[in-house]
Amino acid sequence: MNEFDLIRKYFTRPAPNTLLGIGDDAALLQVGTGNVLAVSSDMLVSGTHFLPDTDPFLLGHKTLAVNLSDIAAMGATPRWATLAIALPEADEAWLEKFSAGFFALAQQHGVDLVGGDTTRGPLNLCVTIFGEVPAQQALRRSGAQPGDEVWVSGTLGDAALALAHLQGRIELSGEELATCAQVLHQPQPRVALGLALRGIASSAIDISDGLLADLGHILEASRAGAQIDLASLPVSLAMQPHAATPPGMQCILSGGDDYELCFTAPGARHAEITAIGSRLSLRLSCIGNIVAGNGCIVHDAAGNQLNPGSGGYEHFR
Amino acid sequence: MNEFDLIRKYFTRPAPNTLLGIGDDAALLQVGTGNVLAVSSDMLVSGTHFLPDTDPFLLGHKTLAVNLSDIAAMGATPRWATLAIALPEADEAWLEKFSAGFFALAQQHGVDLVGGDTTRGPLNLCVTIFGEVPAQQALRRSGAQPGDEVWVSGTLGDAALALAHLQGRIELSGEELATCAQVLHQPQPRVALGLALRGIASSAIDISDGLLADLGHILEASRAGAQIDLASLPVSLAMQPHAATPPGMQCILSGGDDYELCFTAPGARHAEITAIGSRLSLRLSCIGNIVAGNGCIVHDAAGNQLNPGSGGYEHFR
């Protein structure tokens, strides 16, 4: 089976929203009138972003999910993706499961796979994703203003907590692990939330490197600071027993891979945002405020100021 | 130096044609009214597509060039690219040269680098490129018609000849090697030719896997056959002494990595195509005809039919 057969068998599916899909030198995409294209690329490398024995179905899901999360953070509608894969060998059982996981999530979000590359090499997965958004409604990182509230979706640190358990740094019960591992292996990109926040949020980012690091990107782009209330940070039932411990707090503040959204909005939109959370059955928590200045200050319940550093995941550090 | 510093230092350049470039969750691109987006991804893997000690400046050039070649083969105007890199370590000397080679070619073609990813892992380079083209003028693979002529740009097999020398399968003189190595390491994507062929060519593809393999893709997509005249295949001065030898002929018919265009056009457009070649100072050779049926038949000067097989480069074969 050569790469053309592989592509035909595992990666060619109907692309109903595409002018010209897989099989030419390039795909042709029609962007809707009044919309701009939102584009993002994420590369997942075996041994860096996932363990070599990761379930390929879950890996297919996650490869697309982390990219969809970027589109969600722009408030864009996901439309198309390309997928470039380097594989050590043409392992058909692996490819079948990987592509099933990829396409299950793609279908759920109406994303057409329109092109890519299949080649031999150490396992590497590179997706470029394309969304559409009216230019003025894109959720940039740079729009946060002093007085805005800071929000996060879902709960924080669960993916990092699962990883800490898998790496023997913390001990979770079976039930706790099940909850957290689901977040680590099968994150749910917050696409519907991103769309609902158009015209409401003043800035947004997805939490891939940890709350403090990613909120830090908003603050840097917006030239502003933030005050965060530790007690208001949303944690799961699985996290609760660990939340006050140093490794638990580390997960909450600096754990990557959650793929929740962190966003800011004027206080006047508070009730609307609460209503969006109810409509989407998604926990949305107001965790602090944007202030003049720079950097992020975290207070505990007693009013003491923590100095946690950003601590987000960095390659090459 | 973490990945954010790397991106800032080596990969963030002005992006004058971009609504929002590097530094947010996604880039925002404005596609011109009446145009559609042409999108293609190519992944280059160390040890598969290039040798680990390849000059990083030339590698930066080639990484973008192979992608530009796909845009050229669609008749599109290249506009934007994303670049995802996995690197074993943050080697700044390497990055400086690689990015210089990449941006030198990007600037030449007016391409803005708008996003990507930088991560740790075995050396892997994945570019997604974006061009614009009026929907009806895109050069697809599927439009070849019996009676059309088959054309190629430049000369064939030089990159493969250089590789054959480097791998000790053939012996080139110093001057021959210099010519051919230039094609192998610094291919020139035929962007201006692709644009000139809008409304003239009935189909087009870039020659990355070898003439017979890539012409084969046109024939398959167009449900047609081709008759090719061996004597009409354009070869360089460096190739001439080797053209009649089995390895030379193999390079000409099935050598990959030339990144010339192979295209078809009605015979009535012959003079126009010749004029385009003159205007672009680019050799354009009519090498045969599209016929009813399927597959490609190659005749030598005596009228004997060769049966060379497609022989293009295939991963996983």
Side-chain angles (χ1 to χ4, degrees):
Chain A
M1 172 163 285
N2 65 27
E3 77 255 38
F4 303 109
D5 299 323
L6 284 185
I7 292 167
R8 213 168 285 131
K9 185 159 178 191
Y10 296 111
F11 295 112
T12 307
R13 302 279 178 99
N17 303 309
T18 306
L19 214 53
L20 181 65
I22 287 172
D24 213 301
D25 295 293
L28 296 176
L29 313 179
Q30 175 81 58
V31 177
T33 312
N35 283 344
V36 299
L37 199 75
V39 175
S40 179
S41 292
D42 264 310
M43 180 178 262
L44 277 73
V45 182
S46 180
T48 302
H49 299 89
F50 57 90
L51 300 172
D53 62 352
T54 299
D55 177 324
F57 183 92
L58 296 178
L59 186 59
H61 172 101
K62 188 162 179 174
T63 299
L64 184 59
V66 303
N67 280 278
L68 280 168
S69 181
D70 284 316
I71 293 299
M74 292 305 283
T77 306
R79 297 293 306 274
W80 304 284
T82 62
L83 170 64
I85 303 191
L87 288 170
E89 53 179 346
D91 177 341
E92 290 207 50
W94 190 94
L95 280 164
E96 183 157 353
K97 287 181 195 149
F98 176 86
S99 63
F102 186 95
F103 280 113
L105 188 64
Q107 200 160 19
Q108 196 181 318
H109 289 279
V111 169
D112 288 352
L113 184 66
V114 297
D117 201 0
T118 310
T119 181
R120 192 184 288 277
L123 184 56
N124 184 307
L125 306 158
C126 185
V127 167
T128 302
I129 192 152
F130 310 80
E132 285 186 280
V133 59
Q136 299 312 316
Q137 294 186 26
L139 305 178
R140 303 180 179 214
R141 296 179 179 178
S142 54
Q145 302 273 356
D148 283 356
E149 292 174 332
V150 181
W151 295 78
V152 293
S153 64
T155 57
L156 292 170
D158 295 321
L161 195 66
L163 194 64
H165 172 92
L166 296 174
Q167 295 177 338
R169 289 182 283 115
I170 207 167
E171 178 81 26
L172 298 182
S173 73
E175 204 178 335
E176 288 169 357
L177 178 60
T179 310
C180 293
Q182 170 83 12
V183 178
L184 178 64
H185 294 306
Q186 214 163 359
Q188 296 303 317
R190 301 305 186 189
V191 174
L193 175 60
L195 293 173
L197 291 174
R198 282 183 185 174
I200 295 176
S202 53
S203 74
I205 193 169
D206 70 320
I207 302 176
S208 57
D209 293 333
L211 172 66
L212 293 182
D214 289 315
L215 176 56
H217 294 313
I218 285 183
L219 299 180
E220 199 181 334
S222 301
R223 298 166 196 272
Q227 294 199 328
I228 299 300
D229 172 19
L230 186 65
S232 70
L233 298 181
V235 297
S236 66
L237 284 175
M239 177 66 85
Q240 274 179 17
H242 311 276
T245 69
M249 199 171 298
Q250 172 79 12
C251 289
I252 295 167
L253 289 171
S254 305
D257 260 4
D258 279 325
Y259 300 101
E260 296 295 346
L261 295 189
C262 173
F263 58 96
T264 62
R269 316 305 292 259
H270 192 104
E272 282 170 87
I273 293 169
T274 305
I276 289 169
S278 300
R279 177 165 64 79
L280 300 178
S281 302
L282 177 62
R283 184 167 170 179
L284 298 179
S285 306
C286 179
I287 62 167
N289 294 281
I290 298 295
V291 296
N294 59 65
C296 181
I297 292 167
V298 182
H299 293 99
D300 67 13
N304 298 314
Q305 186 173 322
L306 276 69
N307 248 328
S310 89
Y313 186 77
E314 292 175 7
H315 297 279
F316 309 117
R317 194 167 49 167
Chain B
M1 173 165 281
N2 66 28
E3 79 255 36
F4 303 108
D5 299 324
L6 284 185
I7 292 167
R8 212 168 286 132
K9 185 161 179 190
Y10 296 110
F11 295 112
T12 307
R13 303 276 179 101
N17 303 310
T18 306
L19 212 54
L20 181 65
I22 288 171
D24 213 301
D25 295 293
L28 295 176
L29 313 180
Q30 175 82 57
V31 177
T33 312
N35 283 344
V36 298
L37 199 76
V39 175
S40 179
S41 292
D42 264 310
M43 180 178 262
L44 277 74
V45 182
S46 178
T48 302
H49 300 89
F50 58 90
L51 301 172
D53 62 352
T54 299
D55 178 326
F57 182 93
L58 297 177
L59 186 60
H61 173 101
K62 188 162 179 174
T63 300
L64 183 59
V66 303
N67 280 278
L68 279 167
S69 182
D70 285 315
I71 293 299
M74 292 305 283
T77 307
R79 297 291 308 274
W80 305 282
T82 62
L83 169 66
I85 303 190
L87 287 170
E89 53 180 346
D91 177 341
E92 291 206 48
W94 189 94
L95 280 164
E96 183 156 352
K97 287 182 195 148
F98 176 86
S99 62
F102 185 95
F103 281 113
L105 188 63
Q107 200 160 20
Q108 197 180 315
H109 289 279
V111 169
D112 289 352
L113 183 65
V114 298
D117 201 0
T118 311
T119 180
R120 190 185 289 277
L123 185 55
N124 183 306
L125 306 159
C126 184
V127 167
T128 302
I129 192 152
F130 309 81
E132 285 187 278
V133 58
Q136 299 311 317
Q137 294 186 29
L139 305 179
R140 302 177 180 216
R141 296 179 180 178
S142 55
Q145 302 272 355
D148 284 355
E149 293 175 332
V150 181
W151 295 77
V152 293
S153 63
T155 56
L156 293 170
D158 294 321
L161 195 65
L163 195 63
H165 174 92
L166 295 175
Q167 295 176 339
R169 290 182 282 115
I170 208 166
E171 179 82 26
L172 299 182
S173 73
E175 205 177 333
E176 288 169 357
L177 177 61
T179 311
C180 293
Q182 171 84 12
V183 179
L184 177 63
H185 294 307
Q186 216 164 359
Q188 296 302 318
R190 301 306 186 189
V191 173
L193 176 59
L195 293 174
L197 291 174
R198 283 182 185 176
I200 294 176
S202 54
S203 73
I205 192 169
D206 69 321
I207 303 178
S208 56
D209 293 334
L211 172 65
L212 293 181
D214 289 315
L215 176 56
H217 293 313
I218 285 183
L219 300 179
E220 197 181 334
S222 300
R223 298 165 194 272
Q227 294 200 329
I228 299 300
D229 172 17
L230 187 65
S232 69
L233 298 181
V235 297
S236 65
L237 284 175
M239 176 67 85
Q240 275 177 17
H242 310 277
T245 68
M249 198 171 298
Q250 171 79 11
C251 289
I252 295 166
L253 290 171
S254 305
D257 259 5
D258 279 326
Y259 301 101
E260 296 294 346
L261 295 190
C262 174
F263 58 97
T264 63
R269 317 304 292 260
H270 191 104
E272 282 170 88
I273 293 169
T274 304
I276 289 169
S278 301
R279 178 164 64 79
L280 299 178
S281 301
L282 178 62
R283 185 167 171 179
L284 298 180
S285 306
C286 179
I287 63 168
N289 294 281
I290 297 296
V291 297
N294 58 65
C296 181
I297 291 167
V298 182
H299 294 100
D300 67 14
N304 298 314
Q305 185 172 320
L306 276 70
N307 248 329
S310 89
Y313 186 78
E314 292 175 7
H315 295 279
F316 309 117
R317 193 167 50 170

